[in-house]
Amino acid sequence: PDLKTMGYPEQVPTLVLNMNHVFVTMEHSHEGGWKVVRRPGADRFFQELQHFYEIVIYSDDVYPVAQDVITKWNLPFWNNVLHRDLCIRKRGHYVKDISKLGRKEEKMILIDWDPVGVERQKENGNLVFFALSN
């Protein structure tokens, strides 16, 4: 969406987060099936950053997986969810192209777990690696 339509001033930076492996992971068990597990501290992370950034989720999942996860999580402050259809597939990876958001690239930060996922805008990309365990 256009910043003017959303009511965001142009000086507010945009934080673009890949959902999987950054702030959630999917776990499967024979008893319970698939389950979304939040990264420890994810709730506080979003509560704090909502005051400083326009938050956009950019997932390499098919539509509407990420949208459903975010909606069920009840995050009141995310602004948009983009899915795999807006990624570029490259050697089994999904490359995000933040230029499609229509924001000034110098005001955008992309956080992803996959180095290939940020290669179109490397200067905006930040990589996060972590493991969730029980």
Side-chain angles (χ1 to χ4, degrees), residues 114-128:
D114 184 2
V116 177
V118 301
E119 74 178 19
R120 283 192 71 101
Q121 288 94 10
K122 288 181 184 177
E123 63 280 355
N124 301 81
N126 293 281
L127 298 176
V128 174

Side-chain angles (χ1 to χ4, degrees), residues 17-28:
L17 298 162
N18 185 1
M19 184 180 75
N20 291 338
H21 308 294
V22 173
F23 63 91
V24 301
T25 190
M26 301 290 282
E27 290 184 354
H28 185 269

Side-chain angles (χ1 to χ4, degrees), residues 101-131:
L101 290 171
R103 312 293 192 264
K104 293 180 181 178
E105 286 188 29
E106 64 271 11
K107 302 288 264 173
M108 297 175 69
I109 300 169
L110 172 59
I111 298 178
D112 203 328
W113 67 275
D114 184 2
V116 177
V118 301
E119 74 178 19
R120 283 192 71 101
Q121 288 94 10
K122 288 181 184 177
E123 63 280 355
N124 301 81
N126 293 281
L127 298 176
V128 174
F129 300 98
F130 76 98

Side-chain angles (χ1 to χ4, degrees), residues 69-134:
V69 168
I70 298 302
T71 301
K72 288 178 185 171
W73 194 353
N74 272 339
L75 289 177
F77 35 78
W78 59 272
N79 300 305
N80 205 354
V81 178
L82 307 174
H83 289 83
R84 182 183 296 177
D85 58 327
L86 293 175
C87 293
I88 300 161
R89 187 169 169 88
K90 182 176 180 181
R91 297 183 311 270
H93 298 265
Y94 293 95
V95 181
K96 283 84 176 169
D97 183 0
I98 59 174
S99 70
K100 294 181 180 187
L101 290 171
R103 312 293 192 264
K104 293 180 181 178
E105 286 188 29
E106 64 271 11
K107 302 288 264 173
M108 297 175 69
I109 300 169
L110 172 59
I111 298 178
D112 203 328
W113 67 275
D114 184 2
V116 177
V118 301
E119 74 178 19
R120 283 192 71 101
Q121 288 94 10
K122 288 181 184 177
E123 63 280 355
N124 301 81
N126 293 281
L127 298 176
V128 174
F129 300 98
F130 76 98
L132 291 174
S133 60
N134 293 337

